[in-house]
Amino acid sequence: MKELPEYYQPWMEIANKLPYLIESHQLRACVNKQMPLLSCHLLEGHRQLRLAHLVLSAVTMGYVWQEREKQPAEVLPRSLAIPMVEVSKILGLPPILAHSDLVLTNWTKKDPKGPLEISNLETIVSLPGGESLRGFVLVTVLVEKAAVPGIKALAQAISAILQSNEDTLLKALQRLRLSIQDITRTLGQMHDYVDPDIFYAVIRIFLSGWSDNPAMPKGLMYEGVSTEPLKCSGGSAAQSTVLHAFDEFLGVCHSEESADFLCRMRDYMPPSHKAFIEEIHSAPSLRDHILDRGQACCLEAYNLCLEALVELRSYHIIIVTKYLITAAARARSRGASHLPEPSQALENRGTGGSVVLSFLKSVRDQTQKAILPLRD
């Protein structure tokens, strides 16, 4: 779905011009003067609500960060704040741009009958960053697509454990490993479509939130909604259901600090996604099954899944080093350039607010520790 009902055209008109309005420093004035306070009662069904949340949350990010971290907006005007919070409550999502908005809701096929490939995809709502922003969103869409066989394999494997069917379990673990490896390969397309300097200096700030952010220590006031500022984390890959589900299924236990962050990120997922992870958690333990009575071939397949997950997390560290750490060093040495001055407060943080490299290394190392010794 790319359009909302006619009543919501004022929202769509702003959303369709978002990069221009932000870069020309006109978005705040446009929202303040031209955006009417609209009721959400004409939004029908899940897809219209999800598109409304994408549109409103993208406008929110542009409004807050139009002047970047030097002058973030402290108050979100009621014409934006009230419907943003209303739609969020209906969907069970936070009133900020989350992974489920920027990625899961924000793609459409150019040719409806064509393949789900980057050449046939486009974003619905954009932010500053041009082709790099488009590439960042759509490569992440394809990462989610690569995870689909793995997600299906989880359900098949749990069913196999309940039925004590080792052959079906083995095949499901093999499918899971192949899916994780495909995710890693797909993630590599970031190098082809996303410029690290543009990601660091332009895109990143518009994905940042107002929790654990030194640029907005008090949070954001949602006018007409709350008398106190609200604190929300920015969009993050940790808000994707995929690796949470894989970790729960494979029995990967993270450090207390990392686990606390990951648990908070589950509140930024659609409720059905969060429920899916919790259902995997409450299902019979694969790890216990392998340790107690699993066949040697299933033990080996289990370890190969973990090794593939370690490789994925190691590759994610390489990507983040390129797009955050190395790009930050380049920005410091570059001085004046055509790119905006990047955020200093967020220099070593992910957009979700984590101290990014130490977090990623911790979850990778804990995944490595989950690998079981082979039987004699």
Side-chain angles (χ1 to χ4, degrees), residues 3-14 34-44 48 52 55-56 79 82-83 86-87:
E3 291 292 336
L4 291 172
E6 183 67 26
Y7 174 74
Y8 299 102
Q9 202 54 34
W11 294 355
M12 294 306 302
E13 286 176 2
I14 293 173
Q34 299 176 26
M35 187 171 178
L37 175 57
L38 301 178
S39 167
C40 296
H41 76 281
L42 293 180
L43 293 168
E44 295 181 356
Q48 284 191 11
V55 166
L56 292 168
S79 61
I82 290 174
E86 192 175 336
V87 172

Side-chain angles (χ1 to χ4, degrees), residues 111-123:
D111 174 5
K113 296 180 181 178
L116 194 67
E117 296 173 358
I118 203 160
S119 59
N120 191 43
L121 294 175
E122 58 187 359
T123 57

Side-chain angles (χ1 to χ4, degrees), residues 89-103:
K89 284 182 177 175
I90 296 169
L91 289 171
L93 290 170
I96 190 172
L97 186 78
H99 176 86
S100 60
D101 303 300
L102 182 70
V103 177

Side-chain angles (χ1 to χ4, degrees), residues 61-266:
M61 301 312 262
Y63 190 95
V64 170
W65 298 114
Q66 175 181 290
E67 306 303 326
R68 309 184 67 78
E69 68 166 352
K70 291 179 179 176
Q71 277 186 298
E74 297 179 358
V75 179
L76 202 63
R78 61 193 301 115
S79 61
L80 182 52
I82 290 174
M84 174 83 258
V85 171
E86 192 175 336
V87 172
S88 298
K89 284 182 177 175
I90 296 169
L91 289 171
L93 290 170
I96 190 172
L97 186 78
H99 176 86
S100 60
D101 303 300
L102 182 70
V103 177
L104 301 183
T105 311
N106 195 22
W107 62 273
T108 185
K109 286 183 176 182
K110 296 175 186 176
D111 174 5
K113 296 180 181 178
L116 194 67
E117 296 173 358
I118 203 160
S119 59
N120 191 43
L121 294 175
E122 58 187 359
T123 57
I124 298 168
V125 176
S126 194
L127 287 161
E131 283 300 303
S132 285
L133 187 279
R134 174 186 176 273
F136 178 74
V137 171
L138 296 180
V139 169
T140 312
V141 168
L142 295 180
V143 165
E144 294 280 341
K145 176 196 170 191
V148 169
I151 294 291
K152 290 181 177 178
L154 301 190
Q156 293 159 353
I158 290 169
S159 177
I161 293 168
L162 289 167
Q163 297 168 15
S164 298
N165 188 328
E166 295 295 295
D167 289 343
T168 302
L169 177 58
L170 176 61
K171 288 173 183 173
L173 290 172
Q174 290 167 341
R175 282 192 289 270
L176 174 58
R177 173 180 58 83
L178 291 173
S179 177
I180 296 170
Q181 291 171 333
D182 194 27
I183 291 171
T184 307
R185 279 192 297 272
T186 305
L187 189 58
Q189 293 185 52
M190 284 289 177
H191 300 296
D192 301 324
Y193 293 100
V194 185
D195 182 306
D197 294 328
I198 293 174
F199 177 82
Y200 181 74
V202 180
I203 295 171
R204 191 175 53 114
I205 187 70
F206 294 102
L207 308 183
S208 301
W210 26 97
S211 175
D212 300 317
N213 187 339
M216 294 184 70
K218 293 180 181 178
L220 178 68
M221 184 72 75
Y222 289 70
E223 189 179 51
V225 173
S226 173
T227 56
E228 295 293 326
L230 303 180
K231 293 190 174 186
C232 299
S233 296
S236 166
Q239 294 168 3
S240 169
T241 313
V242 172
L243 295 190
H244 289 255
F246 291 174
D247 280 344
E248 287 290 356
F249 175 67
L250 294 169
V252 177
C253 296
H254 294 295
S255 69
E256 185 177 354
E257 185 178 3
S258 296
D260 285 348
F261 172 72
L262 289 167
C263 191
R264 288 201 310 277
M265 290 300 99
R266 293 183 185 182

Side-chain angles (χ1 to χ4, degrees), residues 43-63:
L43 293 168
E44 295 181 356
H46 186 71
R47 293 177 73 200
Q48 284 191 11
L49 286 162
R50 285 289 295 268
L51 179 56
H53 198 275
L54 165 63
V55 166
L56 292 168
S57 59
V59 175
T60 295
M61 301 312 262
Y63 190 95

